[in-house]
Amino acid sequence: NAGVTQTPKFRILKIGQSMTLQCAQDMNHNYMYWYRQDPGMGLKLIYYSVGAGITDKGEVPNGYNVSRSTTEDFPLRLELAAPSQTSVYFCASKGEVAQYFGPGTRLLVL
Amino acid sequence: QQPVQSPQAVILREGEDAVINCSSSKALYSVHWYRQKHGEAPIFLMILLKGGEQKGHDKISASFNEKKQQSSLYLTASQLSYSGTYFCGTESPHRDDKIIFGKGTRLHILP
């Protein structure tokens, strides 16, 4: 049981490049979330999903896109990377009570 | 809307007690508490539900005042392992499944 896994662990992007942050969970959870964490700002919700085929915007969705074709996977897409997207990105899934977070992806946009 | 946590930071000696507060300007269905150590992912501690039900950690307690839309996390006889950043997350009564987190409270325990 791996829980929530994220790839890559670290990535450097140039301004304007695109990339997909991968997230997968093996707990059969319907609810999944993407957060970004900037120093001193806590966790900001980007997008979330309540099941396969269903996604919704969080607090800071601009510049990101998501899809949820399976229960296990919830990838986050950055289409045109900007320096403001430099952050640590956490994916999480939620069971009956708790959210379980992945180890995070550190993204640097230069 | 993002809940407000206080204090922003606390420094304690091992064995001392701490209280971390979380307040919201909107009605709440539940309050979640998480702890994050530097460079790691947040870890679930506790959830408090409307109606008073608590689920979670057996060494940390918390309260939830629904009328005041506030929650407090109580860390008694703190241990070195309690160091980290504590986040509260709130869920609205609309049950839209969004959990919005505060900015966090940094707790540092000295030996």
Side-chain angles (χ1 to χ4, degrees):
Chain A
N1 191 337
V4 180
T5 57
Q6 292 184 239
T7 56
K9 289 184 180 179
F10 177 67
R11 181 78 181 267
I12 299 175
L13 279 183
K14 292 183 179 179
I15 295 172
Q17 286 186 321
S18 300
M19 78 164 294
T20 299
L21 283 67
Q22 301 292 343
C23 174
Q25 53 97 4
D26 61 1
M27 296 174 281
N28 201 32
H29 290 164
N30 285 322
Y31 304 123
M32 295 188 73
Y33 305 80
W34 273 106
Y35 293 92
R36 60 175 288 172
Q37 185 173 38
D38 302 308
M41 299 302 293
L43 295 153
K44 291 286 194 179
L45 181 63
I46 305 172
Y47 271 95
Y48 68 106
S49 170
V50 299
I54 306 169
T55 62
D56 207 347
K57 296 178 181 179
E59 301 171 273
V60 290
N62 291 343
Y64 307 94
N65 277 301
V66 293
S67 59
R68 184 95 182 270
S69 57
T70 67
T71 299
E72 294 77 19
D73 301 301
F74 190 39
L76 178 71
R77 179 82 176 162
L78 283 72
E79 290 295 346
L80 293 170
S84 60
Q85 294 178 306
T86 292
S87 189
V88 179
Y89 291 84
F90 286 102
C91 176
S93 71
K94 182 173 173 288
E96 183 181 336
V97 173
Q99 275 190 325
Y100 298 89
F101 285 81
T105 293
R106 186 174 297 274
L107 178 65
L108 181 60
V109 182
L110 299 174
Chain B
Q1 188 166 354
Q2 189 176 40
V4 177
Q5 289 186 233
S6 63
Q8 289 185 320
V10 183
I11 299 176
L12 296 176
R13 292 211 172 269
E14 199 173 6
E16 292 182 335
D17 301 338
V19 180
I20 300 172
N21 302 302
C22 175
S23 65
S24 174
S25 59
K26 296 187 175 182
L28 300 175
Y29 170 75
S30 68
V31 178
H32 302 234
W33 286 97
Y34 289 76
R35 177 170 62 211
Q36 183 181 33
K37 298 208 177 264
H38 183 69
E40 299 180 6
I43 300 295
F44 172 77
L45 293 176
M46 178 172 292
I47 182 172
L48 299 104
L49 301 169
K50 189 175 180 179
E53 186 177 4
Q54 293 186 28
K55 297 180 183 179
H57 208 282
D58 59 357
K59 294 186 177 181
I60 296 173
S61 62
S63 63
F64 180 21
N65 186 324
E66 297 164 30
K67 289 185 179 179
K68 292 186 177 181
Q69 293 136 211
Q70 294 175 345
S71 176
S72 294
L73 187 71
Y74 304 97
L75 305 168
T76 56
S78 58
Q79 304 169 18
L80 293 175
S81 62
Y82 286 5
S83 291
T85 301
Y86 289 76
F87 293 99
C88 72
T90 56
E91 188 178 3
S92 80
H94 300 296
R95 302 302 311 280
D96 55 9
D97 301 307
K98 288 195 295 188
I99 300 172
I100 306 298
F101 286 91
K103 293 183 178 182
T105 295
R106 294 188 310 279
L107 177 65
H108 187 64
I109 309 296
L110 299 172

